[in-house]
Amino acid sequence: GGTLSLFSFYHFGIYLLLCLFPLSIALSFRILGMSWFTAGVGALIGAGLSTDGLYGLDASSYLWRGYGLSSQLFAAVWLAPALAASYRVITADKDKLGISSFIAPVLLLAATTAGHLGIGIIAFFSIAILTMSPSVQSLANKEWNGSAVRELKKRLFRAAVILGGVLF
């Protein structure tokens, strides 16, 4: 009859997430303030990335004909927007941000981690790298001064709030 089996519902969900993946990449580029054209090109390239047999974030990993790691897809759709929103908050120019600024990164990162713990851990490490990267560059250029230390402390505090919110 007209009923939808659980098997069909699950595969429809996988199909829907595969279709939405390029949109999440485009959204991430827009969160970072890039143009619509750049977001579109990034979505096309991001959707075509492949790890060919490495159980990564490519279509063959998600499909049953491949490796059947469809739980990664539930996290992959949220990964790029989570990283983009976190980076935007961590690098914001304002000295003080309201708690509402942290809601989107925390929820997106929580959705990523809930979708797949391994991808969530990758997101946590990525945020740590994004937080520290300008400070490491300043240190390498011997520009380590009081303002660089203040900037690093501000970034570390914001990253700690985001990651702590997810753990909470």
Side-chain angles (χ1 to χ4, degrees):
T3 61
L4 187 64
S5 71
L6 186 58
F7 182 80
S8 297
F9 182 74
Y10 173 75
H11 285 283
F12 175 74
I14 297 298
Y15 176 76
L16 185 64
L17 288 173
L18 279 169
C19 292
L20 291 176
F21 183 70
L23 193 60
S24 80
I25 300 292
L27 174 67
S28 303
F29 277 97
R30 292 296 297 161
I31 289 171
L32 292 172
M34 297 183 186
S35 70
W36 282 105
F37 179 77
T38 304
V41 170
L44 288 173
I45 293 171
L49 291 178
S50 179
T51 55
D52 195 28
L54 297 177
Y55 306 103
L57 297 175
D58 59 320
S60 66
S61 290
Y62 310 137
L63 303 175
W64 184 253
R65 67 169 178 75
Y67 305 114
L69 303 173
S70 56
S71 63
Q72 285 184 352
L73 181 58
F74 289 91
V77 169
W78 300 112
L79 177 63
L83 293 176
S86 297
Y87 183 75
R88 188 169 182 174
V89 168
I90 290 168
T91 60
D93 288 335
K94 292 171 65 176
D95 283 336
K96 298 200 180 216
L97 294 174
I99 198 73
S100 61
S101 302
F102 292 90
I103 292 174
V106 167
L107 291 178
L108 289 166
L109 194 55
T112 302
T113 307
H116 191 272
L117 185 59
I119 303 298
I121 291 170
I122 289 170
F124 272 58
F125 282 126
S126 298
I127 289 172
I129 291 168
L130 291 173
T131 301
M132 298 297 291
S133 58
S135 302
V136 172
Q137 183 179 9
S138 296
L139 185 60
N141 293 335
K142 296 182 176 62
E143 299 171 3
W144 198 250
N145 54 29
S147 66
V149 171
R150 281 191 299 279
E151 180 68 22
L152 176 60
K153 286 180 181 178
K154 180 175 71 171
R155 285 170 166 256
L156 287 171
F157 176 76
R158 290 176 180 179
V161 169
I162 292 170
L163 298 177
V166 173
L167 292 175
F168 177 69

